[in-house]
Amino acid sequence: MGAVTSTYRVQLTPEFGFRELNDLVGYLRELGVGSLYLSPTLQSVRDSQHGYDVTDHSRIRDEFGGKKGLLALAGQGLGLIADIVPNHMTVPVPESENAPLWSVLREGPDSPYADWFDLSWPVALPVLGDDPELVVDGSVLRYHDHEFPIRAGTEELPLAELLAAQHYRLVSWRDSPGYRRFFDVSSLIALRVESPAVFDATHEVTLALMAEGVIDGLRVDHPDGLTDPGGYLRRLRERAPGPLWVEKILMDGERLPPDWECDGTTGYDALNMVTRLFVDPAARDKLVRTFTRHTGVPDDYERVKYEGKKLVLDLFFRGEVDRLALSLGEPGLRDALVELLAAMPVYRAYVSPGEPPDEEATRVIQSAAWEAAAHADPASVATVAQLVLRGPAEAVARFQQTCGPVMAKGVEDTALYRWFPLACLNEVGGEPDRFGVSPEEFHAFCMEMRPTTMTTLSTHDTKRSEDVRARLAVLSEIPDVWAGAVESWAGAVRFDPTLDYLGWQNLMAAWPISPERFTKYLLKAAREAKTSISWQNREQGYERGLREFAEKAIELCGYSVASFTAVVDRYAQVNSLGQKTVQLMMPGVPDVYQGNEITDFSLVDPDNRRPVDYVRRRELLRDGGDTWDARKLLVTKTALNLRKRLAPDLPYLPIEAGEHAVAFARGDQAVAVATRLPYRLERRGGWHSETLRLPAGSWLDLLTGAEHTGLIPMAHLLCRYPVAILERNTR
């Protein structure tokens, strides 16, 4: 297989497997897709809609069509990129569906799978509710739908003695488990892939398919959870020479560790930069004032972020912190450890046990220690910082593995649901207090990008789809108009001030949306924010009130919201086409998330994993038109097919285009131009006499068929579309 020119991410489900995807290959090939990028394909929980809850690494998922179906898909000729999950397996219900785990629970340390999982004996299993009605059924212990193996020879013991004799302990569902897990999800148990035997067993099927040429490349889920991400990637690269991307969240200014043997990230760093490019930073103060007035939340995002991390450390990660504190080898350091975890500015500082920390890791942890010293004894903080840099191997590893979950739950799933002056900035890896970037900043970012890294605008994990964000970006150009609209809506319907303002942003940006979809989003947002309810404490009265708010907001304000959105869409379409053009033409391998070749107004999962209407997309591809959908499809098809004709490592060359456009060349072969801040552009009267100087030669605009050379008036270049995709004319 040659270089991957682009990918198209597909969420496989029991209802949409290999056979259904087979039927789309012709459409996707015409669209210009280079490779299919599949969600996890190994056997998982039978009704799973995402596949990250793997139960069996030895087979391709039956519900998708098994290995036979995968081979048929591969035979269609499009390259296949597989999403693999090395960090964890699921703890299914019933538990017997995970054979390695069942063996471990039955046989304890004598199980051939005892080294698979990062756990402590006896293993605490958080499953019990308020009615611990346990039933002994032969060699199985049952609790509602749960089932657990009974240790041989203990079946006839009285219940209390039988429970005490097992290799596990059943505890309250609110308690921490006796195993490392994925974030705070107790139904996902961490794997020890640093063990060669575990690595081989869990990767055997995937690597065999790569050796056979069935799978061409890999996407690695959450490598930050592993004991040694760099070592894991080196081992994987030895047997997987094809493209290899990592789901790594990079904060502003952060770079991938230089020793990671991979092609780059899955694109959140690019996503956040592209989003900011279409946000007007001049509106920051007004939007923050509107936000604080409606919510009562402080204007200091750093404070909200710190409080979110401290909350989840106490709420979710007591067990992890206790084990980590014990591994430090010195008493009395727990409070300092908590503060150091809360102060970490990134998902992980890469320190390997037994190896001296590099300069960057030392800088990150020492910087966090300086922040933490304001909240705990400075001497204790300094001691903890040294121990997690150069101390016991277990302490070094566990600290690294705890940082990511604290960031993910404290920031992604708490702070970003509490601080949202402009919600399009509240994306994974985003900094919602950083309003916008200039074209110059964006160019500097692109000039440092690897040509092999992935870029994206929407994923199965984004909190809002790209077109929802395109609408929200318009608010940065009309902060006063927006403030008036929200004042009107909030005057008609109120519920929870800490949530309502987020609700109004998303109601407008996802419009039209049903009361059911809107309610589901608000319920998730409220539970993640943890200000009134949470996933652990679902208060029925509050949730009933929230449902009533969602229904009344649409009933009483829907006409006004629809009218407001219709005006916003004149400018949101410009943002939508612009960010699509930029993402598909900038350095890297562009990924298109399923269905987003036309407009998609989805919110956070599971909303963004709904079935895609491919009949409509096929019709648009065949018939065209001048709607927003047709224009976005044209831009996507044009750019993806052009990328097939371009070398992936063509230089990125900025082109001066003024405040209201971003433009760049890819070597001497292609040029991309996109309008930005369209509302202000319109208010000033349009392009006037602004021009753009094309590189030497003749250029064909692939969207319009027009030919251009030299100095072109912007009003002429962008008279039909707000973007231009040009290819050197060799005729």
Side-chain angles (χ1 to χ4, degrees):
M1 178 186 178
V4 177
T5 61
S6 67
T7 61
Y8 188 94
R9 168 73 181 209
V10 178
Q11 285 296 118
L12 297 164
T13 69
E15 300 75 31
F16 188 88
F18 300 136
R19 179 181 298 173
E20 289 75 17
L21 186 51
N22 249 319
D23 294 338
L24 288 178
V25 168
Y27 161 78
L28 296 174
R29 186 175 281 115
E30 187 178 352
L31 187 62
V33 170
S35 296
L36 284 172
Y37 168 18
L38 308 177
S39 60
T41 58
L42 295 180
Q43 187 62 48
S44 60
V45 173
R46 278 172 284 186
D47 60 353
S48 173
Q49 296 292 303
H50 52 77
Y52 290 98
D53 40 8
V54 176
T55 58
D56 186 352
H57 291 87
S58 69
R59 58 196 171 105
I60 300 298
R61 192 169 171 188
D62 293 335
E63 293 79 13
F64 297 165
K67 183 177 180 180
K68 181 179 179 181
L70 180 62
L71 292 175
L73 178 63
Q76 293 271 19
L78 277 183
L80 298 183
I81 309 299
D83 190 347
I84 60 172
V85 192
N87 182 66
H88 55 265
M89 292 183 77
T90 194
V91 181
V93 180
E95 286 71 5
S96 56
E97 292 186 3
N98 183 333
L101 177 63
W102 187 261
S103 171
V104 165
L105 297 179
R106 183 181 62 238
E107 301 170 46
D110 294 331
S111 166
Y113 299 99
D115 289 338
W116 274 47
F117 306 107
D118 186 356
L119 47 76
S120 303
W121 304 105
V123 188
L125 302 176
V127 298
L128 297 178
D130 298 328
D131 57 336
E133 298 280 338
L134 297 166
V135 176
V136 176
D137 182 7
S139 61
V140 174
L141 181 66
R142 302 190 185 279
Y143 176 67
H144 296 289
D145 293 332
H146 296 274
E147 57 186 35
F148 309 96
I150 295 176
R151 188 176 180 178
T154 67
E155 297 91 346
E156 303 302 324
L157 293 174
L159 183 60
E161 294 180 29
L162 182 148
L163 292 173
Q166 303 311 308
H167 295 293
Y168 53 85
R169 297 285 181 270
L170 303 183
V171 300
S172 168
W173 68 275
R174 298 177 184 273
D175 291 347
S176 294
Y179 48 84
R180 184 166 56 84
R181 53 187 167 169
F182 174 73
F183 296 162
D184 65 331
V185 185
S186 295
S187 62
L188 296 174
I189 182 170
L191 290 164
R192 296 184 62 251
V193 292
E194 65 270 21
S195 163
V198 178
F199 176 94
D200 290 343
T202 55
H203 291 71
E204 180 180 5
V205 168
T206 298
L207 293 176
L209 289 168
M210 291 199 75
E212 295 167 17
V214 177
I215 292 174
D216 301 289
L218 299 175
R219 179 260 197 194
V220 178
D221 182 66
H222 188 51
D224 275 350
L226 305 177
T227 298
D228 179 14
Y232 167 80
L233 291 171
R234 284 192 295 274
R235 188 180 302 119
L236 184 61
R237 182 60 105 183
E238 290 173 0
R239 297 175 60 184
L244 179 60
W245 294 285
V246 290
E247 187 214 18
K248 166 61 188 168
I249 309 304
L250 296 172
M251 305 306 289
D252 270 3
E254 186 184 6
R255 297 290 181 264
L256 274 179
D259 63 337
W260 278 23
E261 296 194 14
C262 65
D263 290 283
T265 74
T266 52
Y268 280 103
D269 43 344
L271 180 155
N272 283 302
M273 286 299 291
V274 174
T275 295
R276 293 181 188 130
L277 184 61
F278 294 87
V279 169
D280 187 353
R284 184 190 194 285
D285 291 346
K286 286 185 176 181
L287 287 171
V288 171
R289 282 198 298 271
T290 301
F291 163 71
T292 57
R293 185 171 68 251
H294 280 275
T295 64
V297 175
D299 61 5
D300 183 356
Y301 172 62
E302 289 300 320
R303 173 179 160 189
V304 173
K305 187 162 65 170
Y306 169 75
E307 291 171 351
K309 289 184 181 181
K310 286 295 295 291
L311 174 66
V312 301
L313 277 160
D314 181 62
L315 195 62
F316 300 136
F317 299 119
R318 288 185 182 181
E320 284 84 351
V321 172
D322 287 344
R323 286 194 291 273
L324 179 50
L326 188 64
S327 72
L328 294 175
E330 296 186 26
L333 297 176
R334 192 183 192 282
D335 289 347
L337 173 61
V338 166
E339 293 298 341
L340 186 62
L341 285 165
M344 284 292 290
V346 294
Y347 280 71
R348 182 165 175 159
Y350 297 92
V351 184
S352 298
E355 298 180 11
D358 65 22
E359 183 178 330
E360 177 62 13
T362 302
R363 183 195 65 78
V364 167
I365 290 178
Q366 288 180 344
S367 173
W370 187 86
E371 295 282 346
H375 303 282
D377 173 54
S380 297
V381 171
T383 299
V384 172
Q386 287 305 307
L387 288 170
V388 300
L389 279 169
R390 299 177 177 86
E394 183 181 357
V396 171
R398 287 200 183 280
F399 181 81
Q400 298 295 318
Q401 289 173 305
T402 306
C403 290
V406 173
M407 281 287 285
K409 300 307 297 181
V411 179
E412 280 182 46
D413 294 340
T414 303
L416 293 185
Y417 285 95
R418 293 182 172 191
W419 206 87
F420 37 81
L422 186 62
C424 62
L425 301 173
N426 290 45
E427 204 42 83
V428 178
E431 297 284 1
D433 59 344
R434 185 180 181 190
F435 282 67
V437 297
S438 66
E440 292 72 25
E441 290 173 293
F442 182 76
H443 291 321
F445 173 83
C446 288
M447 292 173 75
E448 293 184 3
M449 290 180 68
R450 300 188 193 188
T452 55
T453 196
M454 190 178 282
T455 68
T456 191
L457 289 178
S458 300
T459 78
H460 60 287
D461 279 335
T462 40
K463 297 185 183 300
R464 288 158 199 85
S465 70
E466 59 203 62
D467 293 314
V468 169
R469 297 199 307 277
R471 282 174 166 173
L472 289 167
V474 176
L475 305 185
S476 70
E477 297 191 74
I478 54 169
D480 295 327
V481 177
W482 167 247
V486 173
E487 201 69 43
S488 170
W489 301 335
V493 186
R494 294 180 184 271
F495 174 60
D496 178 354
T498 65
L499 184 68
D500 290 2
Y501 188 64
L502 182 64
W504 293 121
Q505 288 187 69
N506 286 280
L507 180 62
M508 183 283 294
W511 189 267
I513 185 171
S514 68
E516 292 76 20
R517 278 182 62 208
F518 190 38
T519 297
K520 287 178 181 177
Y521 172 75
L522 290 174
L523 281 170
K524 179 164 185 171
R527 290 166 182 163
E528 298 286 22
K530 308 169 198 57
T531 51
S532 300
I533 58 172
S534 69
W535 293 104
Q536 289 71 29
N537 296 290
R538 304 183 186 185
E539 206 278 307
Q540 289 185 353
Y542 180 94
E543 295 191 358
R544 184 166 53 251
L546 189 148
R547 289 186 176 91
E548 292 172 357
F549 168 80
E551 292 169 357
K552 288 182 179 178
I554 291 175
E555 177 187 353
L556 300 180
C557 303
Y559 180 81
S560 175
V561 171
S563 299
F564 185 92
T565 305
V567 176
V568 163
D569 279 354
R570 289 170 52 188
Y571 313 102
Q573 181 179 155
V574 177
N575 291 342
S576 169
L577 301 182
Q579 64 188 9
K580 200 69 171 178
T581 297
V582 169
Q583 181 248 333
L584 296 179
M585 292 302 297
M586 68 192 288
V589 178
D591 175 54
V592 176
Y593 182 61
Q594 60 176 29
N596 279 260
E597 58 268 32
I598 69 170
T599 58
D600 178 88
F601 299 103
S602 295
L603 299 173
V604 71
D605 69 277
D607 194 62
N608 59 10
R609 301 177 188 181
R610 290 170 296 146
V612 176
D613 183 356
Y614 282 109
V615 172
R616 180 156 183 265
R617 285 157 177 79
R618 286 180 190 268
E619 291 173 349
L620 275 171
L621 190 63
R622 182 187 67 232
D623 301 334
D626 200 36
T627 63
W628 184 351
D629 281 340
R631 287 177 157 215
K632 189 177 180 187
L633 188 65
L634 175 63
V635 165
T636 304
K637 176 185 176 182
T638 300
L640 291 182
N641 279 287
L642 174 57
R643 289 301 297 258
K644 287 185 173 183
R645 301 192 293 273
L646 301 180
D649 58 351
L650 282 174
Y652 178 92
L653 304 172
I655 297 176
E656 174 58 42
E659 180 187 10
H660 287 285
V662 60
F664 54 87
R666 298 304 311 277
D668 61 355
Q669 298 298 306
V671 170
V673 185
T675 305
R676 58 189 295 271
L677 309 183
Y679 176 82
R680 284 210 289 114
L681 175 65
E682 181 183 81
R683 294 276 289 187
R684 75 168 201 179
W687 292 109
H688 297 298
S689 60
E690 282 194 47
T691 58
L692 182 136
R693 182 170 293 281
L694 293 171
S698 174
W699 296 88
L700 178 66
D701 186 333
L702 299 178
L703 299 178
T704 66
E707 295 185 19
H708 302 288
T709 57
L711 195 64
I712 305 298
M714 293 291 278
H716 176 58
L717 179 66
L718 303 178
C719 64
R720 184 168 174 188
Y721 299 104
V723 298
I725 301 173
L726 304 123
E727 185 176 17
R728 177 171 292 281
N729 193 346
T730 57
R731 290 183 297 175

